[in-house]
Amino acid sequence: MAAFDEKEYTQAFDWAIWKRLFPILGRFKRYFIGMIGTAACSDLTDAALPLFQMYAIAHFIEADTLEGLVPFAVLYGAVILLQSVLVVVSTRNTMKIEMYLGRDLRRELFEHLQILSLSFYNVTPVGYLLTRVTNDTNRIAGNLAWGLLDMVDVLFYVGSTFVIMLLLNWQLALVVMLVVPFVAVLTVYFQPRILNWTRKVRKINSKITGAFNEGITGAKTSKTLVIEDQNIRSFKDLTENMNRSAVRAARLNAVYIPATLFFSTLTVSIVLLRGGWLVESQALEIATLSVFITYAMGIFEPIQNLANNLAEFIAVQASIERVTGLLEEKPQITDTPEVVEKYGDAFSPKRENWEPLSGEIEFKDVTFRYPDGGDNVLEHFNLKIPAGTTVAIVGETGAGKSTLVNLACRFFEPTEGQILIDGRDYRECSQLWLHSNIGYVLQSPHLFSGSVRENIRYGRLDATDAEIEAAAKAVSADQVVAKLEQGWDSDVGEEGDRLSTGEKQLISFARAVLADPRIFVLDEATSSIDTQTEQYIQSAIDHLLRDRTSFLIAHRLSTIRKADMILVVRDGKIVEQGTHLSLLKKKGYYHDLYSKQFAEENAAKVLGA
C-alpha cells in the first residue's frame, strides 16, 4: 500500500495529461469564464489604485487645497466598491468550481468503481482507492480553482503594473524590471526545494498521527507483547526524520526570505535614488515617484506566489494522472452491446427481459488462469451440476477452493471453454441477471452502517418488514435482534463492529435468504460460528438449500457430509470428486483430510471436557 501513496511524480508539465480532464472541466465553463473575467477586472482595478494616490498628492497635498476632494472621494469609494463586488463574484465562481468539480470527480469515480470487475479489487489496495476518491479529487478541485485564480491575479496585476510604470516613466520602470529576473531566479530555485521538504514533513506527520493512533488503540496488545520499547524506538525515528525535514525546510526559508527582501529593498532604494535625482532635476514629479515606490514594494510578492503556484500545478498533475487513470480502467468482464441492449446494465436494468433461472451449471472444457498470469488453475475441466444440486468444495487453506465458485458466479471468466447456465453460455446473458440470482454468504461478512433491518433489506430492497423478519427467523438471526437494545432498528456500527462475527454471519445469511436466489454460495460461512450456533442453523441451511443449486466452501468437513457432490481441491487442482462415502472408500486425499480433522475435533472435545 505504501508504494502507491508514497510514489512521487516528478515529470514536467504534460499537456496530454491535463486534456484528459477537459470533458469534466467543460461542464463548468461559465464558472471559469466568470472567475477569470471578474478576477482580471479586479486586478486591473487594483493596479490602477495607486494612480489615485498620485492624483491626491499632486492635486491636494502639493497644491495645498481641498478643492475637488468630495468628487475624488466619491469616485475612489466607487472604485473600491466595484473592486469588492468583483472580488466577491470571482470568489463565488471559484468556490463553485472547487465544490462542483470535486463533487463530480468523486461521483464519477464511485460510479466507475461499481462496474469494475472483482479481479481489479483483488490486486488493488482499498487504501489506494480511498486516496484517489478523497485526497486526489480534493487536491485537483482546490488547485484548479484557487490555484488558477491566483495565477490570473498575478498575471493581470503584474502585467498591468508594468504597463502603467512604462507609461509613467520608462526609466524608473526599467530599474524595477531589471531586478525582477533576480527575484524570479531565486524563487525558481528555492520554491520547489522548500515545497519538497514541506511535503516530506506532511507525510511524516501523517505517519506520526498513525503511530499515535496505533499506540492508543493497540495499547493492550503492546503491553501483552511487551513491545513498549520497540514502539518508543519507532516513534523516535519518525520524530527525528520529521525534525530533520522541518529543519531543512526552515534553513531554505531562512535564505530565501531574506534574499527576496533584500532585492525588494534594493529595488525601492534604487527607485528612491534614481527618482530623487529626477525629482531634483524636475524631470519627475513627487506624486509619480510615490506611485513607483508603491509598485516596487508590492510587485515581488505576486511573482513569488506565481512560482509557487506553478510548482503546485506540476505537483497536482500526478493527482490528475491517478484519477483519470482510474476512470479509464476497463472492467475485465463486460457484457456485449447486444446483451446490454436486451438486459440493460447495472444502472438501467431491463428486468422485464430477464428469464427465470433454474440453476443448472455446466463447465465445458474450461481452462482458466488468473489475469495476473501464472499457471493454469483449471485445464480442460468438465463438470455438470444439475439444478438443485449441493456441491461442496474442500481443501486446505489456500488450495484454491474459491476458483470454481468465482467462475460459476462470473466474477471471472474462463480463459478457454464455456460455462453454461441452464444450457446457455452465460456470456450471452447479463452479469446483473446472473448476480441477482446468487446468494453469497462470506466467511467474513460485510455489514453496512445502519440498522439490522436495513442490512437485511439489502437482499431485496422492496421487501416488507414482515418478509425481513421471516427471513431472519429462518436462520435464527431473530435471536441476535432480541439481544439488541433497539431491536430491528439497532445500529450495527461501522462494518458491523458492534456485533460478533457469528452475529454478523447470521444477519448476512438472512440477507441472502431474503433475496431468494436460485444459486447459493456459502464460503466457509459457519467457520466463525460457535458449535452451538452452527448446530442451530444447520437444519435451517438444509431447508434453505433444498431445490437450489448451492456451493459450500467448507472448512469443517463434518458440515458437508450430506452434499450431493464433493470436489477436493489441492494446489489449485481438483484431485478428487464424489460423495462423502465414496471418497472415504477411496482412502485418498479426502480420507486423509477427514481423518485428520475428525481426530483434531475429538481431541478438542476431550480437552474441553
Side-chain angles (χ1 to χ4, degrees):
M1 179 58 227
F4 286 97
D5 284 340
E6 299 301 323
K7 184 177 179 181
E8 290 289 347
Y9 290 78
T10 57
Q11 72 270 38
F13 184 86
D14 188 345
W15 185 247
I17 294 174
W18 288 81
K19 285 174 66 176
R20 289 153 67 178
L21 204 61
F22 280 10
I24 299 176
L25 297 180
R27 303 171 192 170
F28 315 109
K29 181 164 56 177
R30 65 189 183 99
Y31 294 128
F32 277 107
I33 293 173
M35 178 194 73
I36 294 172
T38 52
C41 292
S42 175
D43 297 326
L44 293 173
T45 305
D46 195 26
L49 283 177
L51 297 177
F52 283 89
Q53 170 188 322
M54 182 179 73
Y55 183 89
I57 293 173
H59 290 81
F60 302 128
I61 298 176
E62 288 186 320
D64 194 21
T65 179
L66 296 179
E67 185 179 350
L69 180 61
V70 174
F72 173 84
V74 171
L75 178 61
Y76 187 73
V79 172
I80 294 295
L81 179 61
L82 173 63
Q83 186 186 33
S84 300
V85 171
L86 290 170
V87 169
V88 169
V89 175
S90 177
T91 303
R92 184 181 177 85
N93 282 308
T94 306
M95 292 177 66
K96 285 183 176 180
I97 292 170
E98 181 184 21
M99 296 299 106
Y100 293 159
L101 177 58
R103 179 200 65 186
D104 282 14
L105 283 173
R106 284 187 287 273
R107 282 181 178 176
E108 293 210 8
L109 282 172
F110 187 80
E111 182 176 315
H112 187 67
L113 288 171
Q114 306 307 302
I115 66 172
L116 291 179
S117 306
L118 183 65
S119 56
F120 171 80
Y121 293 97
N122 283 350
V123 298
T124 308
V126 174
Y128 176 79
L129 297 177
L130 289 175
T131 303
R132 302 294 79 77
V133 175
T134 55
N135 295 359
D136 281 327
T137 55
N138 287 336
R139 192 178 185 191
I140 291 170
N143 273 274
L144 281 179
W146 298 104
L148 182 60
L149 176 64
D150 288 343
M151 292 180 69
V152 169
D153 284 340
V154 171
L155 292 173
F156 277 94
Y157 176 77
V158 172
S160 55
T161 297
F162 278 135
V163 170
I164 292 172
M165 286 193 294
L166 286 169
L167 291 174
L168 290 175
N169 188 292
W170 67 269
Q171 293 174 308
L172 281 183
L174 287 178
V175 170
V176 177
M177 294 173 69
L178 286 173
V179 179
V180 167
F182 293 97
V183 177
V185 169
L186 277 175
T187 302
V188 169
Y189 178 82
F190 279 99
Q191 280 290 352
R193 288 163 175 78
I194 293 171
L195 189 62
N196 177 54
W197 286 103
T198 303
R199 285 190 188 128
K200 288 183 179 180
V201 170
R202 288 202 299 262
K203 285 182 181 179
I204 299 171
N205 187 57
S206 297
K207 293 180 180 179
I208 289 175
T209 303
F212 265 125
N213 181 61
E214 287 187 353
I216 295 169
T217 58
K220 185 176 180 180
T221 303
S222 296
K223 290 184 178 298
T224 55
L225 294 175
V226 196
I227 57 172
E228 291 93 340
D229 186 50
Q230 172 63 32
N231 289 344
I232 291 172
R233 285 199 301 270
S234 298
F235 193 78
K236 183 178 179 181
D237 289 341
L238 284 173
T239 53
E240 286 292 336
N241 287 336
M242 182 173 175
N243 180 67
R244 282 194 294 268
S245 299
V247 168
R248 188 66 183 269
R251 285 176 178 169
L252 289 169
N253 269 311
V255 176
Y256 172 66
I257 294 174
T260 53
L261 287 174
F262 167 77
F263 280 106
S264 177
T265 305
L266 178 64
T267 304
V268 174
S269 301
I270 296 174
V271 168
L272 279 172
L273 180 64
R274 177 63 178 169
W277 182 82
L278 291 173
V279 169
E280 186 178 357
S281 61
Q282 297 184 343
L284 185 72
E285 295 181 352
I286 293 179
T288 306
L289 177 60
S290 71
V291 171
F292 269 92
I293 293 172
T294 301
Y295 285 142
M297 293 177 64
I299 202 170
F300 293 108
E301 184 177 352
I303 294 172
Q304 296 166 25
N305 291 338
L306 177 62
N308 187 47
N309 286 328
L310 287 173
E312 285 290 352
F313 259 69
I314 296 297
V316 83
Q317 181 173 284
S319 294
I320 295 174
E321 189 168 16
R322 287 190 289 252
V323 167
T324 55
L326 184 54
L327 286 172
E328 292 166 0
E329 183 77 32
K330 302 296 183 184
Q332 292 190 345
I333 299 175
T334 57
D335 292 329
T336 63
E338 293 78 15
V339 169
V340 173
E341 177 66 26
K342 178 180 179 181
Y343 293 91
D345 57 26
F347 305 110
S348 303
K350 299 179 180 178
R351 296 181 184 273
E352 66 276 8
N353 295 333
W354 291 7
E355 302 93 345
L357 188 147
S358 298
E360 180 185 278
I361 302 174
E362 181 178 0
F363 290 78
K364 197 170 183 181
D365 197 29
V366 170
T367 296
F368 175 73
R369 62 178 172 274
Y370 283 100
D372 53 356
D375 298 331
N376 290 337
V377 178
L378 295 176
E379 288 185 351
H380 305 293
F381 176 72
N382 293 278
L383 176 68
K384 188 168 185 177
I385 303 172
T389 301
T390 298
V391 180
I393 306 174
V394 302
E396 294 181 340
T397 301
K401 298 189 291 294
S402 298
T403 300
L404 277 176
V405 173
N406 287 334
L407 284 169
C409 295
R410 204 183 171 193
F411 296 143
F412 293 96
E413 290 182 342
T415 308
E416 298 175 17
Q418 292 179 304
I419 294 179
L420 309 180
I421 302 291
D422 293 347
R424 293 176 61 194
D425 189 326
Y426 64 7
R427 283 173 284 207
E428 297 176 5
C429 302
S430 164
Q431 293 180 70
L432 189 62
W433 166 80
L434 176 59
H435 294 163
S436 66
N437 281 288
I438 296 173
Y440 213 120
V441 180
L442 297 168
Q443 179 181 1
S444 301
H446 178 86
L447 297 187
F448 299 93
S449 297
S451 68
V452 174
R453 191 191 308 275
E454 290 169 342
N455 268 279
I456 297 176
R457 183 171 273 126
Y458 278 116
R460 183 158 53 86
L461 295 177
D462 60 352
T464 64
D465 289 349
E467 289 173 325
I468 290 172
E469 292 172 16
K473 188 175 182 180
V475 294
S476 305
D478 58 331
Q479 292 203 353
V480 176
V481 177
K483 299 176 185 177
L484 300 175
E485 190 173 328
Q486 296 180 353
W488 296 98
D489 296 319
S490 299
D491 194 336
V492 300
E494 187 176 356
E495 296 186 2
D497 59 4
R498 295 182 182 178
L499 304 177
S500 68
T501 302
E503 290 171 335
K504 287 193 290 185
Q505 282 190 326
L506 288 173
I507 293 174
S508 177
F509 211 104
R511 184 168 60 197
V513 169
L514 183 64
D516 191 26
R518 301 310 306 158
I519 300 173
F520 236 109
V521 179
L522 305 182
D523 190 351
E524 302 198 29
T526 60
S527 64
S528 298
I529 297 176
D530 60 83
T531 304
Q532 181 180 1
T533 306
E534 179 186 350
Q535 291 174 350
Y536 199 77
I537 70 170
Q538 191 62 52
S539 59
I541 292 176
D542 294 339
H543 171 73
L544 293 166
L545 299 188
R546 192 175 303 151
D547 298 327
R548 288 185 175 92
T549 305
S550 54
F551 293 90
L552 307 180
I553 301 176
H555 174 71
R556 295 180 182 175
L557 301 185
S558 58
T559 64
I560 49 91
R561 284 177 290 189
K562 297 180 182 179
D564 300 311
M565 182 188 305
I566 297 175
L567 304 177
V568 185
V569 181
R570 186 178 188 181
D571 298 328
K573 310 289 184 183
I574 296 175
V575 295
E576 292 179 355
Q577 177 181 329
T579 63
H580 173 69
L581 291 177
S582 67
L583 291 173
L584 286 180
K585 288 178 181 178
K586 286 183 180 179
K587 295 188 179 297
Y589 184 59
Y590 178 81
H591 178 273
D592 294 341
L593 282 177
Y594 187 83
S595 300
K596 179 182 177 182
Q597 193 173 105
F598 185 76
E600 289 175 350
E601 289 179 357
N602 282 339
K605 290 178 181 178
V606 171
L607 292 173

